[in-house]
Structure formats: C-alpha cells, structure tokens
C-alpha cells in the first residue's frame, strides 16, 4: 500500500479526521487513505496523463505585468482545452463539408445539424428574436466548445477543462462582453448608459448606478460558477464512490461503488449536455434582455 | 482548487476567440447557409405544391364544366340529327308516294291509250273481216268502195261501243 502513502498530499482537516476514523475501524491497519488526493484529479497540473504514464508540459517564465504575475505556460487544462477545440474544429469542418455535396445531411452532419438547429431555433431566436441570428455563430461555438470539454472529461484519461474555474471565468468574461456589445449595438450607447441609471430620479443615481453595474457582473459570474461547480461536483462524486473501495479495502464494496459510479457517470453525460445548454441559453437570454430596450423590469429578473 | 490561474483565463479566451473565427468562417457560415437554403427550398416547394394543387383543382372544375357542355352539345346534336333524319325520311316517303302515284297515273293513261288504240284497231279489223266475210258469203265481188260505204253506214248505225 505504498501507492496510497505516496499519494498523500496536503489535506483538509475534517476529511482527514473522518477518513482516519473510518479506515481505522474498517481495516485496522493504520494505513491512511486520503480523500484529498481525489481532488488532484480535478486540479490543474503540469503533467498530462496518458495510458501507461504521463508527460510533462513545458514551462515558461511567468510574465510580470504591473503587479500581476501571468503564467502562460501550458497546463493539463490548457492541453485539454486546446484538444477539445481541435476536436470541435475537425467535427464541425467535417459536418460543414458534407453540405457542399448535398443539402440533405446524413450521419455526423445530421447529428451536428440537430444541435445547430436546436441552438438557432430554440435558444437564439426565442430569446433574442430575429435580430439575434447574427450572434448564432457565437452561441454555437460556446455550446459546442463547452459540450466537448464536458464530454472529454468522461473519457478515460480525459480531463474536464470546464471543471477549472479559470476556464469558466474565461468563457464568462467573453459572455460578459458579448452581452454588453449586443446591448449597445441594439440600443445605442446613450440608451445603454441611461439604462444603467434604472430610470430613477438623479438623486438616487449614486445608489442605483453601482447596483446596476454590479448587476452586469453578477450574471456572467453566475454562469462561471454554475458551470464550474456542476462539472467539478459530478467528478468528485464519482471519485468518492470509487474511493470507497480503497477506503474499506474490500471487494464487497466494489460492485456497489461501481454501480453507483456508473449511474453518476450516466448522469454526467446528461449534465454535460445540460450545462452546455444552460450556459448558452442564459447567455442568449441575457443578450436578448439587453437588446430589448424599454423592458426595464424584465431586465432585472434573472432566471436560473 | 479555487485558485484562479490568470494564464488559463487568457488561454481560454484565446482558444475561444480562434475557435469563433475559424468555425464562424469555415463551419457555421456554410452550415447555416445550407440550412437556410434548404428551408427556403422546402418552403418554396410547399408553396409550389399548393399552387399546383389549386391549379389542378381549377383545371378539374373547368374540365367538368367542359364535359357538361360537351354532353349538352352532344345531346342537342343528337336531337337535331334525329329530327333531321325523321324529316328526311318523311320527305323520301312523300316523294316516293308522289312518284308512285304519278307512275300509276301514267300507267293508267298508257293503258287507256292502248285500250283506245286497240279498240280502234279492232273496230277497223272487224270491219275488214265483215267485208271479207260478206264477199265470201255473197261470192260476188262488189265494188269495194260501195260496199265499204254500206258497211260503214251500217256500222255507224250500230250503237257506239
């Protein structure tokens, strides 16, 4: 059991205590099983696991911009981020090429098309109206990129890049800009700024404007946290269930754990689609609200 | 786990930006264009089908009307033809009857005429025979002229016919 010993890392106090108690009463050998190392799986690192080993990613010197240290060297999540993007490009180009021959889709193009149509007809147009069709490419990219990043984490050796808060933050920042740009484009800058005052008396502006500005940021922030938490949560549940086998050191637990993990895994497939949809749908909803000038009350109600 | 790596945020945004540019240009544009074209095609096909159906219905109606008119015309023509045939038949019959009557009349006249001639001939022959018989009986030859006069006088004394 040197393997488990080796994997011990910094721990959360509560978890360690619980695990120590359970493992003591279960095995009585005094060897520690640490839940914390499960978190290593969802953590970012400099190495990418491949079958029969792993490889290290190169490391560059961090950039110093002002007081900010930005380390642009690739990590595991960057690797899978780019890998997902590459898979998506290949898939999308393959599907798009199909239309050159025939406008009737088959196979991959057909599967792809059903999702494209769903985003365009059920997400973009109902939320943003006909004027929203110009943002459909952005929404499609968001949806498919998140979907593939979510799904790739369910493949053995795959890592869910969307389980990293920085990745979801990056996506949310883009969503933030898209929401503001679409609103300014649809209403004009003057209307957009007038909207920030909430239409109240000018004496109340010092109170209203910060609230409104804060409101602009809460929406993408919610997007960011929601996606991150959903993608991380499922993984931790699966890892915990599998971890139970090692915790109890008993084969009796294995079937139960595997069965439950299988169930959660299937749920994860659903969640992968659902969260990609939710992120896209809410982005288009916020864009749509910003694009409808004069519907002030609606703009304040945020639905989750 | 909750520490935020700014490098990763930048990587995400770069990747996403490149993805939007590449896919927007090479995937979404052709796919959405193809979808729109197909929708347009289906819409126009349905419109055309509707139009064709309306036209077919219109043609069918017109056809029925034409058929009805043709039927009426046919009936009328039949009636006319029948009437004409009837008239012609009557004409022919009338003419035939007239002709027959004329033939009959002519034949009667012919018969009458022949009868008259025959009577005349008979009368003269009877006169000749009577003369010859008288000559033979009397065994003497009289002046034919004289005798003829006698006989004619006798004959004229006979009641006519």
């Amino acid at each position: 059991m040197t393997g488990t010993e080796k994997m011990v890392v910094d721990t959360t106090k509560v978890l360690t205590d619980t695990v120590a108690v359970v493992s003591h009463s279960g095995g009585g050998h005094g060897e520690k099983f640490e839940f914390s190392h499960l978190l290593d799986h969802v953590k970012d690192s400099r190495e990418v696991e491949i079958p029969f080993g792993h490889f290290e990613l190169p490391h560059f010197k961090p950039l110093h911009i002002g007081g900010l240290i930005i380390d642009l060297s690739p990590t595991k999540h960057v690797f899978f981020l780019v890998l997902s993007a590459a898979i998506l490009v290949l898939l999308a180009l393959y599907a798009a090429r199909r239309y050159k021959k025939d406008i009737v889709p088959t196979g991959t193009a057909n599967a792809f098309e059903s999702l494209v149509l769903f985003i365009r007809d059920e997400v973009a147009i109902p939320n943003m109206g006909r004027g929203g069709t110009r943002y459909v490419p952005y929404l499609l990219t968001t949806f498919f990129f998140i979907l593939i990043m979510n799904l790739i984490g369910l493949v053995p050796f795959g890592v869910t890049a969307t389980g990293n808060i920085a990745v979801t933050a990056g996506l949310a920042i883009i969503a933030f800009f898209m929401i503001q740009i679409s609103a300014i484009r649809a209403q004009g800058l003057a209307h957009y700024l007038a909207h920030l005052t909430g239409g109240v008396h000018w004496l109340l502006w010092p109170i209203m404007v910060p609230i409104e500005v804060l409101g602009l940021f809460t929406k993408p922030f919610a997007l960011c946290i929601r996606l991150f938490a959903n993608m991380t949560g499922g993984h931790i549940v699966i890892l915990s269930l599998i971890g139970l086998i090692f915790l109890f050191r008993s084969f009796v637990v294995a079937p139960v754990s595997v069965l439950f993990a299988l169930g959660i895994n299937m749920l994860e497939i659903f969640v992968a689609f659902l969260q990609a949809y939710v992120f896209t749908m809410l982005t288009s909803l916020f864009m749509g609200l910003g694009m409808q000038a004069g519907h002030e009350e609606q703009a304040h109600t945020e639905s989750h | 786990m909750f520490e935020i790596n700014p490098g990763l945020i930048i990587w995400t945004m770069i990747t996403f930006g490149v993805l939007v540019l590449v896919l927007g240009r090479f995937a979404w544009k052709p796919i959405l264009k193809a979808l729109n074209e197909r929708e347009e095609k289906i819409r126009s096909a349905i419109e055309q089908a509707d139009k064709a159906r309306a036209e077919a219905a219109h043609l069918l109606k017109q056809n029925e009307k034409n058929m009805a008119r043709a039927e009426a015309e046919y009936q009328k023509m039949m009636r006319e033809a029948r009437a004409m045939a009837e008239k012609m038949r009557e004409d022919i019959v009338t003419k035939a009857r007239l002709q027959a009557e004329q033939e009959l009349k002519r034949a009667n006249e012919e018969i009458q005429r022949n009868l008259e001639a025959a009577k005349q001939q008979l009368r003269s022959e009877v006169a000749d025979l009577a003369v010859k018989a008288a000559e033979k009986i009397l065994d003497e030859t009289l002046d034919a002229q004289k005798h003829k006069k006698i006989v004619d006088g006798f004959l004229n004394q006979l009641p006519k016919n």
Side-chain angles (χ1 to χ4, degrees):
Chain A
M1 288 297 131
T2 45
T4 33
E5 297 278 21
K6 206 174 74 189
M7 280 190 275
V8 172
V9 254
D10 62 327
T11 61
T12 319
K13 184 100 172 65
V14 186
L15 270 181
T16 327
D17 290 350
T18 323
V19 169
V21 170
V22 171
S23 73
H24 181 73
S25 59
H29 298 294
E31 283 167 290
K32 275 197 200 154
F33 172 82
E34 303 291 344
F35 257 113
S36 58
H37 81 258
L38 295 178
L39 298 181
D40 281 356
H41 177 80
V42 291
K43 259 187 178 170
D44 207 356
S45 69
R46 297 242 168 261
E47 43 194 58
V48 175
E49 284 176 58
I50 50 167
F52 309 112
H54 60 83
F55 64 84
E56 294 273 338
L57 291 164
H59 191 249
F60 309 127
K61 262 209 170 120
L63 299 169
H64 292 269
I65 301 170
L68 211 63
I69 301 162
I70 298 172
D71 187 359
L72 274 179
S73 46
T75 62
K76 186 171 74 174
H77 284 151
V78 173
F79 178 79
F80 277 93
L81 188 82
V82 175
L83 183 67
S84 306
I87 291 171
L88 175 55
V89 167
L90 288 179
L91 263 178
L93 292 188
Y94 176 75
R97 212 189 50 187
R98 203 50 202 72
Y99 288 97
K100 280 195 184 134
K101 284 182 272 176
D102 191 4
I103 58 163
V104 179
T106 50
T108 313
N110 206 353
F112 214 77
E113 185 192 304
S114 63
L115 290 173
V116 171
L117 276 180
F118 176 74
I119 296 298
R120 192 193 66 175
D121 295 341
E122 307 295 331
V123 175
I125 291 173
N127 285 323
M128 298 189 285
R130 284 276 149 200
T133 44
R134 70 158 80 178
Y135 300 111
V136 167
Y138 160 69
L139 292 175
L140 284 170
T141 311
T142 307
F143 176 76
F144 280 102
F145 191 34
I146 294 173
L147 178 65
I148 288 175
M149 281 196 287
N150 290 352
L151 287 175
I152 214 168
L154 301 175
V155 177
F157 297 101
V159 174
T160 318
T162 40
N164 188 310
I165 200 159
V167 174
T168 58
L171 293 170
I173 289 168
I174 293 166
F176 171 79
F177 282 116
M178 286 308 289
I179 293 165
Q180 310 317 321
I181 289 168
S182 66
I184 293 170
R185 227 166 168 177
Q187 311 178 7
L189 190 60
H191 259 270
Y192 172 78
L193 291 175
H195 185 86
L196 287 180
T197 64
V200 295
H201 192 264
W202 65 269
L203 281 172
L204 289 172
W205 285 6
I207 305 167
M208 205 59 198
V209 173
I211 291 173
E212 285 285 345
V213 171
L214 206 63
L216 297 179
F217 290 98
T218 51
K219 290 167 186 169
F221 183 73
L223 287 178
C224 163
I225 297 298
R226 182 185 301 107
L227 183 58
F228 156 71
N230 272 288
M231 295 327 294
T232 309
H235 283 267
I236 290 178
V237 170
I238 291 174
L239 289 167
S240 304
L241 285 167
I242 298 296
L244 286 176
I245 301 169
F246 299 98
L247 179 66
F248 289 108
R249 296 215 201 101
S250 162
F251 286 114
V252 183
V253 189
V256 182
S257 282
V258 169
L259 208 67
F260 273 93
L262 182 69
I264 299 293
N265 222 320
M266 289 203 257
L267 188 70
E268 279 280 273
I269 298 173
F270 169 68
V271 170
F273 278 89
L274 182 74
Q275 289 307 319
Y277 162 68
V278 166
F279 194 101
T280 314
M281 201 277 284
L282 288 177
T283 306
S284 79
L285 180 74
F286 297 148
M287 286 167 78
L289 290 175
M291 284 158 77
Q292 293 165 347
H295 291 268
E296 247 112 273
E297 320 79 54
Q298 257 190 316
H300 291 277
T301 48
E302 195 186 315
S303 58
H304 291 278
Chain B
M1 189 164 93
F2 291 100
E3 76 272 24
I4 298 174
N5 176 3
L8 193 45
I9 297 182
I10 291 168
W11 271 110
T12 307
M13 289 167 71
I14 291 171
T15 312
F16 189 86
V18 171
L19 211 52
V20 167
L21 289 179
V22 172
L23 292 183
R25 173 81 181 75
F26 297 107
W28 308 137
K29 209 171 139 196
I31 289 177
L32 290 171
K33 206 177 121 223
L35 290 182
N36 284 335
E37 271 170 15
R38 193 177 55 201
E39 272 160 19
E40 204 44 55
K41 210 167 171 178
I42 291 171
R43 194 171 299 131
S44 73
I46 290 173
E47 256 167 35
Q48 260 168 12
D50 276 346
K51 224 158 70 181
R53 199 174 48 201
E55 207 166 318
H58 178 72
L59 278 178
L60 192 72
K61 220 162 154 186
Q62 207 162 27
N63 245 1
E64 271 168 9
K65 223 156 65 187
N66 281 348
M67 283 282 278
R69 212 164 48 204
E71 175 72 23
E73 208 157 322
Y74 161 76
Q75 290 288 355
K76 199 176 124 201
M77 266 163 75
M78 276 298 277
R79 245 188 341 265
E80 277 175 5
R82 207 169 282 145
M84 212 154 81
E86 185 69 20
K87 202 174 141 228
M88 255 161 86
R89 194 176 66 89
E90 262 166 28
D91 275 3
I92 289 167
V93 169
T94 316
K95 226 191 274 176
R97 193 174 291 140
L98 218 71
Q99 211 164 359
E101 272 167 17
Q102 273 175 359
E103 283 300 310
L104 201 63
K105 207 168 134 199
R106 209 167 30 231
N108 276 341
E109 277 169 7
E110 186 82 19
I111 290 168
Q112 205 63 37
R113 227 179 5 254
N114 283 351
L115 194 66
E116 215 54 43
K119 270 184 190 166
Q120 205 64 39
Q121 209 174 345
L122 192 63
R123 205 172 276 149
S124 60
E125 286 218 357
V126 167
D128 279 354
L129 276 176
V131 171
K132 269 176 190 163
E135 269 175 5
K136 262 184 188 164
I137 293 165
L138 292 174
D139 205 15
E140 67 177 278
T141 309
L142 292 175
D143 182 30
Q145 283 293 323
K146 208 175 167 182
H147 279 102
K148 199 163 168 109
K149 238 178 227 163
I150 295 164
V151 172
D152 277 347
F154 168 69
L155 277 176
N156 281 338
Q157 280 168 0
L158 284 174
K160 286 262 181 190
N161 292 327

